[in-house]
């Protein structure tokens, strides 16, 4: 007699998602307080701040757009420059969505949007190692969707708090909590230590992206890892065929 | 001073454009599946994570040390941030820790920030 494993309930998947992402959730609340504060200074109301944060979930892009609006230069075209900066900075999401999509079962377009529509750089960093690790989630699409949504909602909450109450977090405490992101993500990368090809690419990204950033701007995070991955994959394939 | 519709254009337009960017691979890369493309995307994903870690370590290290002021301390803060990340990575590889490794590295970073901004 064969027994089929019962798929985990939505509650169990949500608990799984929260267990993996609680540090990002906590950090997002604090990090986006600053974004909310900048939004208030730039003239956005709380609803606009919440809407933009929920759909964007990208502190660097929002900070850049709010700086442009707050500076007031460019007159009537400042809003175009602000939207353009958001688009350019968020182009990095193309690669992140594609990477996660490659690990998911084939989904309809509405389900794809529901699953990956709120992906952020930080939720990607939580999801991706889990998807390619030894214990991938048993309901991957639901896990990805819930993780992204939890992170997006915490970012929105932080932005609204920041909009309503400026100075809620001291700069020193904010910087310290912001440091949770790189230290925690480093441990997520370390989880794939045995895969030398992935480690080579992670180290190359760590060294080359900051070096290329002054030249390429925010696109460095998209272009440099992509170029390095293409080159190393092709070189490896050529070696294995030789 | 911006018109109300211009502020809405930034809030809603920026958000919807980002959603559109996320949808691009859903439309254009429906059959990523197996093979070379997935290899490249996996590696790119880790490259992005490495870049993200390094950039945030540099910026948070700099932000923590900036209270003391001066370019040399900012550079020290950036180096301290990278060292903290290396500690988290090393502890995680050696002991398979996640949260404890991150907290130890965070304490190292915080102590440095407090010491140099005192």
């Amino acid at each position: 007699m064969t027994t089929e494993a019962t798929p985990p309930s939505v509650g169990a998947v949500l608990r799984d998602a929260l267990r993996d992402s609680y540090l990002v959730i906590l950090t997002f609340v604090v990090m986006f307080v600053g974004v909310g504060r900048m939004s208030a200074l730039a003239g956005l109301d709380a609803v606009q701040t919440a809407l933009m944060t929920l759909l964007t979930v990208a502190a660097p892009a929002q900070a850049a757009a709010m700086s442009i609006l707050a500076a007031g230069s460019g007159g009537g075209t400042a809003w175009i420059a602000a939207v353009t900066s958001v688009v350019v900075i968020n182009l990095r999401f193309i690669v992140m969505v594609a990477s996660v999509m490659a690990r998911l079962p084939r989904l309809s377009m509405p389900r794809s949007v529901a699953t990956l529509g709120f992906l952020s750089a930080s939720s990607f960093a939580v999801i991706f190692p889990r998807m390619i690790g030894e214990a991938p989630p048993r309901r991957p699409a639901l896990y990805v969707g819930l993780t992204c949504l939890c992170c997006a909602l915490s970012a929105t909450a932080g932005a609204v708090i920041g909009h309503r109450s400026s100075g809620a977090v001291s700069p020193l405490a904010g910087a310290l909590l912001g440091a949770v992101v790189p230290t925690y993500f480093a441990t997520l990368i370390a989880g794939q230590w045995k895969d030398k090809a992935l480690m080579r690419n992670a180290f190359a990204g760590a060294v080359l992206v900051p070096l290329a950033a002054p030249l390429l701007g925010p696109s460095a995070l998209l272009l440099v890892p992509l170029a390095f991955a293409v080159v190393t994959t092709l070189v490896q394939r050529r070696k294995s065929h030789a | 001073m911006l018109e109300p519709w211009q502020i809405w254009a930034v809030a809603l337009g920026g958000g919807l454009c980002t959603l559109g960017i996320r949808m691009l691979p859903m439309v254009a890369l429906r059959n990523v599946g197996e093979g070379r493309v997935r290899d490249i995307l996996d590696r790119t994903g880790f490259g992005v994570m490495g870049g993200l870690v390094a950039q945030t370590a540099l910026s948070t290290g700099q932000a923590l040390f900036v209270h003391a002021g001066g370019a040399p301390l900012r550079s020290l803060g950036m180096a301290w941030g990278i060292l903290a990340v290396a500690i988290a990575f090393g502890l995680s590889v050696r002991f398979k820790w996640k949260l404890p490794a991150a907290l130890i590295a965070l304490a190292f970073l915080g102590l440095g920030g407090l010491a140099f901004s005192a």
Side-chain angles (χ1 to χ4, degrees), chain A residues 76-172:
Chain A
T77 58
W79 70 275
I80 299 174
V83 174
T84 306
S85 71
V86 171
V87 170
V88 171
I89 293 172
N90 287 345
L91 283 176
R92 62 204 166 124
F93 287 141
I94 293 175
V95 170
M96 295 181 200
V97 169
S99 300
V100 176
M101 242 178 66
R103 295 283 167 178
L104 290 175
R106 199 181 164 88
L107 301 170
S108 63
M109 181 54 84
R111 282 195 72 194
S112 295
V113 175
T115 303
L116 290 160
F118 297 110
L119 188 84
S120 62
S122 297
S123 54
F124 168 79
V126 170
I127 290 164
F128 190 61
R130 179 75 196 275
M131 299 293 280
I132 68 171
E134 287 167 4
R138 284 174 57 209
R139 293 179 72 177
L142 184 63
Y143 169 82
V144 170
L146 288 174
T147 304
C148 292
L149 187 63
C150 290
C151 294
L153 289 175
S154 65
T156 307
V160 172
I161 292 167
H163 188 280
R164 291 286 181 197
S165 57
S166 56
V169 179
S170 75
L172 188 67

Side-chain angles (χ1 to χ4, degrees), chain B residues 44-67:
Chain B
T44 306
F46 264 73
V48 168
M49 283 184 67
L52 197 66
V53 165
Q55 281 188 318
T56 47
L58 290 170
S59 63
T60 51
Q62 192 181 15
L64 269 172
F65 280 57
V66 83
H67 299 282

Side-chain angles (χ1 to χ4, degrees), chain A residues 187-242:
Chain A
T187 69
L188 297 179
I189 293 175
Q192 298 299 318
W193 171 247
K194 286 177 184 168
D195 192 324
K196 298 302 172 202
L198 293 182
M199 284 302 111
R200 257 196 307 277
N201 279 263
F203 279 120
V207 173
L208 297 177
V209 169
L211 289 176
L215 193 67
L216 299 174
S219 311
L221 196 58
L222 164 74
L223 296 177
V224 173
L226 183 60
F228 193 82
V230 169
V231 170
T232 54
T233 307
L234 293 180
V235 166
Q236 192 185 9
R237 295 250 168 180
R238 184 166 288 183
K239 274 184 187 169
S240 62
H241 284 123

